[in-house]
Amino acid sequence: MPTDAQSWQPSKVDATSDRPETSAKAFSWLAEPRIILALIGLYVLGHFVLRLALSPTLGIDDAEQMLFAQHWAFGYRFRQPPLFTWLLLPVIEVFGPSIVAISLVRYALLAITFVFLYLTARLCLHDQRMAGLAALSLTLIYVFAYYAHHDLTHTTALGAMIVLLLYVTARLAKNPTWSAYAAAGLVIGLGMLAKWNFAMLAIGLPLTCLALPAYRHLVLTPKIAFTIAIAATVVAPTALWMLSHDQSVQALSSDILTKDGAAAAGTSWLAGAGALSRSILLFPLPFLPIFLTIFGRSLLARQHVPTTDFRPALTPAFFACLMLVVLGLHAFLIPLFGAVSFTERWLHPALMALPIYLFALAERGSPTTRQVTVFLASIAILVAVATTARLYRYMEGVDDCGRCREFAPFAEFAEGLRA
């Protein structure tokens, strides 16, 4: 086992680095897909069981979806697209309208998010142990570690579709076949039906490819028309439903992005920039400060590319450019719609790739075994804290918890109404 001061990189000296490299056996279990997938499965299953044990009551978003899922339609309300409702419909047929049904859909989507982020990281990182750390890092991001367990429906579907598109893009970069372009079109279409702001990634991804010469060929090909056609086919029925209900994309955007539907031009730009900056800082918490505290030295160390035959499907430069482009598209909403309202859960399209990007940089700085040990300990502690917090909310009860609607005693209220 390497000492704390030593690197955990493979046991040979890289000609571009003056740092000693040691055994590849340190934390070798992190490179085992079956172990990482088992950990993800245990994590998702544990929170699923906890949700069923705490309360049978649905939150507001869950209750809305249970209401909509009584029948099939191409759309239910214009503010949100119908993918989550469609996924819920067949599950209700089996389990009935219950907390079991809604939780099965939610945790299946969360499992997809963790698993495909991991699979994408495996295609993009030299050290497969770092890919395992990147996937487990989602347990340190508030919106996945806590928020999604008691709320969020469309946003949970959005996260799953984003990582699916990242994975398909990585596969496409490795082997740009017609089937890969077809898969990209299908995922883009489903992503749009998960949540409308998926469009930020759908637009930002080809712009990123065009901006980087190494990936430009992925867009400048007739195959991209196949992708667009499939995506349009998937979205078309819901788009026609929207048009038949006289809905306006601009009106919806103005309603969501501005306060009271309007803002003074002079103040909205400043307020919008402030709101966007705040959301950018909030989304990766507490993962980002934990990562920088533990791996900061690796990021500042002399960077080197591992001397292996492995070629990453998507490079750190690609992920950096993608995040900047999609954040730029968000910033463009400020002058376009006078946007002054942004929340951190809207930034999934821009920042979901952040763990992969940061660990791609960290692996070039040869992190030590102590750094990895501390990071894994941080994950264990934060998972325990999040689980304890869910139990504490339940013990507080709805009267003291504030907006804990899932703990309201609606079963008792219903019995009273029946009487």
Side-chain angles (χ1 to χ4, degrees), residues 227-258:
T227 299
I228 295 171
I230 291 176
T233 301
V234 173
V235 176
T238 298
L240 292 173
W241 175 87
M242 291 159 51
L243 290 174
S244 68
H245 286 74
D246 298 322
Q247 299 289 352
S248 165
V249 173
Q250 184 170 357
L252 175 66
S253 302
S254 178
D255 179 61
I256 293 174
L257 297 171
T258 64

Side-chain angles (χ1 to χ4, degrees), residues 7-17 19 21 24 124-130 302-312 315-316 359-367:
S7 163
W8 72 322
Q9 294 291 335
S11 53
K12 57 184 177 181
V13 178
D14 192 310
T16 63
S17 173
R19 300 189 68 191
E21 296 186 344
C124 300
L125 300 181
H126 292 82
D127 194 324
Q128 297 298 285
R129 294 168 294 182
M130 288 293 188
R302 182 177 177 181
Q303 299 286 295
H304 68 280
V305 178
T307 54
T308 67
D309 295 331
F310 175 82
R311 297 182 67 85
T315 63
F359 278 103
L361 297 182
E363 73 173 356
R364 295 183 174 190
S366 300

Side-chain angles (χ1 to χ4, degrees), residues 98-346:
S98 64
I99 188 63
V100 175
I102 198 85
S103 296
L104 280 171
V105 175
R106 169 175 283 113
Y107 285 101
L109 290 169
L110 281 173
I112 289 171
T113 304
F114 277 83
V115 169
F116 279 90
L117 186 76
Y118 174 56
L119 296 178
T120 305
R122 284 180 60 83
L123 292 173
C124 300
L125 300 181
H126 292 82
D127 194 324
Q128 297 298 285
R129 294 168 294 182
M130 288 293 188
L133 290 179
L136 298 177
S137 295
L138 288 181
T139 63
L140 297 178
I141 298 177
Y142 171 77
V143 72
F144 301 105
Y146 188 77
Y147 198 175
H149 298 303
H150 66 84
D151 205 350
L152 303 184
T153 49
H154 301 88
T155 300
T156 303
L158 171 69
M161 293 303 110
I162 288 171
V163 295
L164 279 172
L165 184 57
L166 292 176
Y167 175 73
V168 168
T169 302
R171 295 292 301 226
L172 193 151
K174 285 276 191 180
N175 189 18
T177 62
W178 282 95
S179 60
Y181 278 91
L186 177 61
V187 174
I188 289 171
L190 293 175
M192 290 297 299
L193 296 179
K195 198 165 185 177
W196 298 126
N197 63 328
F198 185 89
M200 292 296 188
L201 182 63
I203 296 171
L205 199 54
L207 290 178
T208 299
C209 291
L210 291 173
L212 299 173
Y215 299 95
R216 204 166 287 162
H217 68 283
L218 297 178
V219 175
L220 301 180
T221 170
K223 296 176 184 176
I224 199 69
F226 191 38
T227 299
I228 295 171
I230 291 176
T233 301
V234 173
V235 176
T238 298
L240 292 173
W241 175 87
M242 291 159 51
L243 290 174
S244 68
H245 286 74
D246 298 322
Q247 299 289 352
S248 165
V249 173
Q250 184 170 357
L252 175 66
S253 302
S254 178
D255 179 61
I256 293 174
L257 297 171
T258 64
K259 295 177 180 177
D260 301 323
T267 59
S268 67
W269 283 48
L270 182 61
L276 179 57
S277 299
R278 176 179 175 274
S279 295
I280 292 171
L281 293 173
L282 287 177
F283 180 90
L285 293 180
F287 161 68
L288 184 57
I290 291 174
F291 177 92
L292 294 177
T293 300
I294 296 172
F295 292 105
R297 290 179 60 188
S298 295
L299 297 180
L300 296 175
R302 182 177 177 181
Q303 299 286 295
H304 68 280
V305 178
T307 54
T308 67
D309 295 331
F310 175 82
R311 297 182 67 85
L314 304 174
T315 63
F318 179 90
F319 287 114
C321 185
L322 177 63
M323 289 187 289
L324 289 173
V325 167
V326 180
L327 287 174
L329 292 174
H330 281 80
F332 186 65
L333 295 175
I334 298 172
L336 183 64
F337 293 108
V340 293
S341 176
F342 292 92
T343 69
E344 63 272 20
R345 68 179 185 274
W346 294 353

